[in-house]
mmCIF file of all heavy atoms in Angstrom:
data_model
loop_
_atom_site.group_PDB
_atom_site.id
_atom_site.type_symbol
_atom_site.label_atom_id
_atom_site.label_comp_id
_atom_site.label_asym_id
_atom_site.label_seq_id
_atom_site.Cartn_x
_atom_site.Cartn_y
_atom_site.Cartn_z
ATOM 1 N N HIS A 351 103.295 55.255 69.329
ATOM 2 C CA HIS A 351 103.783 56.178 68.227
ATOM 3 C C HIS A 351 103.781 57.634 68.604
ATOM 4 O O HIS A 351 104.697 58.372 68.360
ATOM 5 C CB HIS A 351 103.071 55.886 66.990
ATOM 6 C CG HIS A 351 103.405 54.632 66.335
ATOM 7 N ND1 HIS A 351 104.476 53.809 66.540
ATOM 8 C CD2 HIS A 351 102.686 53.908 65.287
ATOM 9 C CE1 HIS A 351 104.518 52.705 65.887
ATOM 10 N NE2 HIS A 351 103.490 52.724 65.067
ATOM 11 N N SER A 510 125.996 212.790 127.589
ATOM 12 C CA SER A 510 125.071 212.673 128.833
ATOM 13 C C SER A 510 125.411 213.853 129.686
ATOM 14 O O SER A 510 124.502 214.212 130.555
ATOM 15 C CB SER A 510 125.378 211.367 129.534
ATOM 16 O OG SER A 510 126.739 211.401 129.985
ATOM 17 N N GLN A 807 42.671 119.552 145.828
ATOM 18 C CA GLN A 807 42.988 120.506 146.985
ATOM 19 C C GLN A 807 44.336 120.232 147.581
ATOM 20 O O GLN A 807 45.136 121.205 147.714
ATOM 21 C CB GLN A 807 41.832 120.537 148.002
ATOM 22 C CG GLN A 807 40.501 121.243 147.480
ATOM 23 C CD GLN A 807 39.472 121.372 148.659
ATOM 24 O OE1 GLN A 807 39.112 120.409 149.112
ATOM 25 N NE2 GLN A 807 39.157 122.570 148.989
#
Side-chain angles (χ1 to χ4, degrees):
H351 285 342
S510 65
Q807 284 183 301

